[in-house]
Structure formats: C-alpha cells, structure tokens
Amino acid sequence: MSHTMDEKLRGRLLPKNTGVIWTAHNETFRLGMGISMFHAMHCLLFLRSVLQDRLDGADISSSAYRSRRGESLHTHVPHCFSYVTQHVMCLGDSTIEPPWIEKDAAGNIQAFGIDGYGTHHKCKDTTRMLGVARRARTETFDPWDWQDGDTVETVFGS
C-alpha cells in the first residue's frame, strides 16, 4: 500500500470525470448524475487512502477529508462502507470459490482458507459504462425523465 499505488489505481479504475454523466439542466447549468459502479470505486479508493494515511501516521481529522458538502471523515467513511456493502449485496456474485489447503507429509489437512485467488468469476461487461463515462468528459447529454432504476443500458442502450 502506498499513495503512489493509490494514484495508479485511481487512474486505471476511475474515469477522469469519476463517472459523472452531465446533463443540460437549462441553457447555463449542467447537472451531474453518477454511475453506481464508479461511486463504489470512489468509495473503495477513498477508504484505501484513509487507511494508507492512518498507516503513515498522518492526521486524518484534517479538513482534507471533507467532501464538497462539508461532510466530515466521520460521516464519509461510514457512508462509503455502507455504499460498498450495498453494492456487493446487489451484485451478488455467486461464484463458488474453492479453498487453498495445506497438508502435512502424511496428507492430512493442517490448514485451509478461502481467498478467491485464481477463481474465474462471471463478471458484468462494463464496456458500455466506461464508454458513456468517457463520452461524458466532453459531451453534455440531453436530460431525460429520470426514473428510479434507470441504468446506463436502459438510458443509453446496451
């Protein structure tokens, strides 16, 4: 763990606009709407950064952790844990992960655990979400009649 690695991960996993879709609210104001996958990724990267600062002995009570809404570290951290938990529960990857096993010379199992390494998961294709997020860097989309449950696919096609 390091802030250098944090920046590399942020560059690889989050679009430059952090996955915000900009819509024309009126002739002079654009309204941003988030894509859930990128919100969850922001939360994971934020929690990783807070943990890294804590491991480095940095003062994590500083104003550097305040959100744009003035949200403090003590409200942003619980929000992110809750959001990531909801995200994981919503996606519900049902892949069965086999254990790693340590045996003694006689072949008796001495230890085992489950870490998920080397297991193939059935993942959702994120190509469309990434494409819309990249377009949103330079393009303002026409507003639509947003409804609860709208997705990138239902609004922009699959």
Side-chain angles (χ1 to χ4, degrees), residues 49-110:
S49 182
V50 170
L51 177 59
Q52 182 61 47
D53 278 351
R54 185 70 177 116
L55 291 172
D56 290 348
D59 177 14
I60 60 172
S61 63
S62 75
S63 62
Y65 288 101
R66 295 212 186 284
S67 72
R68 290 182 194 159
R69 294 186 312 178
E71 193 177 51
S72 73
L73 183 68
H74 298 291
T75 54
H76 199 173
V77 166
H79 157 76
C80 280
F81 273 116
S82 175
Y83 194 85
V84 171
T85 299
Q86 291 173 48
H87 209 265
V88 169
M89 293 303 293
C90 179
L91 294 175
D93 181 355
S94 62
T95 301
I96 298 172
E97 300 173 336
W100 53 263
I101 299 171
E102 289 180 7
K103 296 180 182 180
D104 63 15
N108 299 308
I109 294 176
Q110 297 297 303

Side-chain angles (χ1 to χ4, degrees), residues 9 43 93 132:
L9 286 171
C43 277
D93 181 355
V132 168

